[in-house]
Amino acid sequence: MSTPYTVRIAADPADREACFAVRKEVFVVEQGVAEDIEYDAYDAVAVHVLAVRGDGVPLGTGRLLLGEAAAAKTGGDASVGSLGRLAVSREARGLGVGVALVRAIEDAAGARGLAAVDLHAQTHALGFYERLGYVAYGPEFPDAGIPHRAMRRSL
């Protein structure tokens, strides 16, 4: 049986705090990313998406960077957004939350006139993103001590 959930753009401070709570659970607690590098200045300008269980419990999050905020991650192409900080709580894994979050971020990018979305995937997640149409490019690189690859999907 699947858990009912909805995915939406984070609309208010409470939604953003829910996004940050999921990120802390996944990246800081589970993966050992230092809290002082998990949150950054881009959080203030990003479009955040949030997956919420029917009873209001946050299940997952991700963010989209646009324009100058995305430039360092996309090679400076203003028509490309940057998907990042995708996190799904342990209890919600396997329910399709990650796919729903990626598609919501792509929808947000398309609605803003972007032609493609880039992301920096942890190497263990390459297959997940490939199944969603992303193609890896460039060499592997470390981010927060975790191996990553750049990937892109045209919209």
Side-chain angles (χ1 to χ4, degrees), residues 56-123:
V57 173
L59 300 176
T61 188
R63 73 179 186 186
L64 172 67
L65 301 179
L66 309 157
E68 285 192 34
K73 299 173 183 293
T74 65
D77 186 340
S79 72
V80 180
S82 177
L83 183 161
R85 302 303 203 269
L86 188 75
V88 175
S89 67
R90 189 182 309 262
E91 73 173 87
R93 293 179 193 150
L95 301 176
V97 173
V99 172
L101 288 164
V102 170
R103 295 304 187 217
I105 290 169
E106 292 170 347
D107 289 347
R112 288 158 176 81
L114 298 179
V117 173
D118 265 21
L119 58 87
H120 293 167
Q122 293 182 7
T123 55

Side-chain angles (χ1 to χ4, degrees), residues 2-3 48 50 64 85-86 104 120 123 133 143 149 153 155:
S2 67
T3 301
H48 297 270
L50 176 65
L64 172 67
R85 302 303 203 269
L86 188 75
H120 293 167
T123 55
D143 187 1
R149 290 277 311 277
R153 179 174 182 265
L155 300 177

